[in-house]
Amino acid sequence: MKTLRHNAIRELVSLGQVANQDELRRKLRRRGFAVTQATLSRDIHELRLVKGPGGYTFSNGAGQAVEDNSPPSLDDMIEGFALRVRRAMNQVVIATVAGGAQPLASALDHAGWSDIVGTLAGDDTILVICSDHRRAGDVESRLKAMLES
Amino acid sequence: MKTLRHNAIRELVSLGQVANQDELRRKLRRRGFAVTQATLSRDIHELRLVKGPGGYTFSNGAGQAVEDNSPPSLDDMIEGFALRVRRAMNQVVIATVAGGAQPLASALDHAGWSDIVGTLAGDDTILVICSDHRRAGDVESRLKAMLES
DNA sequence: AGCATAGGCGCATAAGTATGCAACGCCGAA
DNA sequence: TTCGGCGTTGCATACTTATGCGCCTATGCT
């Protein structure tokens, strides 16, 4: 359950204003996650969110995080950047945290998935073009699985 | 005096680890600024510092810059940026003034239209992905209506 | 000078966040 | 099955940060 909750948190944070942990708790409860503030405090720590003027945001690495000396895996990237995966026809759309689209798309390209024809990345959205509906469905499920790991 | 203290705070923060306001207070005192935690709380607010894992840092510009106190409505944005709306299959393409694509796309994302799967913005063009033909048609008409209001 | 107003500050305390501890559930080994 | 370890959570509470209020000083106006 924890991973799903983390995704929900990331989505809520990226989406709008989350002023404090208690507000986050109420919003999560409306989505079916009933946890206490204590748990959210731990979640926020794990997700490395920071609270600035105007609520929580993603700590955009700047606050010298420990350096990875190993290139992050695709799973890690998805875990770190992706927020939501949706499909439309032969296309899959990935919503990411701001600025996360480019690196994640690049990682996808290099992953060599044969059913991906190409990717196109904006700032916080990736468009994945697949050869047909079915393959798009496959890709969607695989991505969702990774997101919910 | 306040300005000098602010500079000292900025230096301490950029320099190293400032774990919390009380530590900051002690370090400032060594430099000749004797103030209470309450004052530092206000200073930090004014300097827009954020506390992340590992102490205070400068507000992470990337994490969506501080909000305008009156976020323009979606109508306003369309009114201000959009030039033309056209549809192709499950996609809607919006032409905007140069540089207008990114902000307008962002506004669309945050509008929470359920039939929009995602948006992808270049400099003066937005690609809106809808779940299917019909919904793309809906979105197209709604956008056109707003554009012609 | 006499008075009004504004900003900075400390104090006390409210508001918000982190954490030690114990309880619970879920494996995997014996 | 029974046991032990591990991970997750809630509870209670410690710790940290924000803020209402009042005092003080500086500044400006009459």
Side-chain angles (χ1 to χ4, degrees), chain A residues 120-140:
Chain A
L120 207 55
D123 181 54
D124 58 7
T125 306
I126 304 173
L127 177 63
V128 181
I129 310 288
C130 304
S131 27
D132 57 40
H133 281 219
R134 261 195 9 81
R135 290 172 185 281
D138 288 356
V139 169
E140 182 192 17

Side-chain angles (χ1 to χ4, degrees), chain A residues 5 35-36 39 42:
Chain A
R5 189 180 59 227
V35 293
T36 61
T39 298
R42 292 187 267 247

